[in-house]
Amino acid sequence: MKTILATAVAIATLGVAAGAAMAQPYGGGGRQPSAILYDQPNFQGRQTTIYGLATNLPRDWNDKALSARFQGRWRICEDSDFGGRCQDVNGDVPDLNRLGMAERITSLQGYAGGGGGGGGGYRPPGGGDSWRPGGSWNGPGQYRPYEGVRSVFFPYPTMDGYDIAAGSSSANAFCRSQGLGSSAYYDSSQRAQQAIDGEGRYTGPSSVLRDLVCRRY
């Protein structure tokens, strides 16, 4: 581990010497998925738009939605904080009864990198990994990754333009999405107002990954 960390520090030092100082935060350029909920079938009646996630819908929308339009992939759940029975959905759903979720949605959570499009389709929970293999690191220009003999150093790992919530599972998921092995080290001292976890779900304010070292095997 000491050898890996020493390599990471040395690479980071070279990166600073070769380019601009790593000082300015990156706001993220990814597009949040959105969900429009309607209190009547066929996209009629009152409506409200949710961006990213809602851990507990306000009282006037809790258990009220009868139809919805989903841009990107979403998980809709019966209870707050994504508890109870959940369904993964995308596209237009003119009647939530067909999913057994009419007047039952209390929380919902979008996934980064999820496909949009119509058709009202849905996936059962656990229906696939939303982090695409070989996905771009998407950091600012001065934060490009540096390759070592036995590891790769990512000063500013992101996915789909969003920061990644700190944690070993998220670090490992990012490394494997790059075709690498597990993570060897990461820093978690910085925070962001919104991030995604190892499954691509939006998490809200969180400590985020920085200076991530991925093993090559």
Side-chain angles (χ1 to χ4, degrees):
M1 179 60 72
K2 289 182 178 179
T3 301
I4 294 174
L5 295 181
T7 301
V9 172
I11 291 172
T13 303
L14 287 173
V16 172
M22 294 156 49
Q24 295 184 353
Y26 177 61
R31 181 182 179 186
Q32 286 180 304
S34 62
I36 306 175
L37 306 180
Y38 301 83
D39 67 355
Q40 298 296 322
N42 298 311
F43 320 117
Q44 300 297 313
R46 292 187 307 126
Q47 68 182 67
T48 186
T49 303
I50 307 297
Y51 296 97
L53 81 166
T55 59
N56 192 18
L57 288 171
R59 181 174 298 179
D60 60 337
W61 277 101
N62 186 13
D63 294 338
K64 292 292 193 296
L66 290 174
S67 60
R69 297 183 188 273
F70 298 99
Q71 183 274 313
R73 188 160 68 92
W74 285 76
R75 177 162 293 181
I76 55 177
C77 300
E78 291 182 331
D79 298 336
S80 61
D81 296 316
F82 321 113
R85 189 171 71 87
C86 298
Q87 292 276 17
D88 279 12
V89 299
N90 70 279
D92 292 350
V93 185
D95 185 358
L96 286 165
N97 266 316
R98 72 176 185 162
L99 304 181
M101 295 297 288
E103 297 183 321
R104 292 189 176 186
I105 299 176
T106 297
S107 60
L108 61 165
Q109 187 173 37
Y111 285 75
Y122 82 98
R123 297 186 200 178
D129 185 358
S130 62
W131 284 39
R132 301 182 301 277
S136 173
W137 55 277
N138 280 339
Q142 70 266 34
Y143 294 99
R144 294 185 180 280
Y146 299 95
E147 297 198 16
V149 175
R150 302 179 62 183
S151 62
V152 180
F153 177 66
F154 294 86
Y156 204 108
T158 61
M159 185 59 67
D160 291 319
Y162 285 96
D163 289 304
I164 302 168
S168 59
S169 61
S170 296
N172 288 333
F174 177 85
C175 290
R176 287 168 182 150
S177 77
Q178 305 303 306
L180 301 167
S182 61
S183 67
Y185 169 82
Y186 63 85
D187 176 78
S188 59
S189 61
Q190 290 190 356
R191 292 183 62 83
Q193 288 301 306
Q194 188 162 59
I196 58 175
D197 65 13
E199 296 183 22
R201 299 174 299 196
Y202 289 87
T203 62
S206 175
S207 297
V208 294
L209 296 177
R210 294 290 185 265
D211 294 346
L212 173 61
V213 178
C214 298
R215 298 183 175 92
R216 284 190 173 278
Y217 55 88

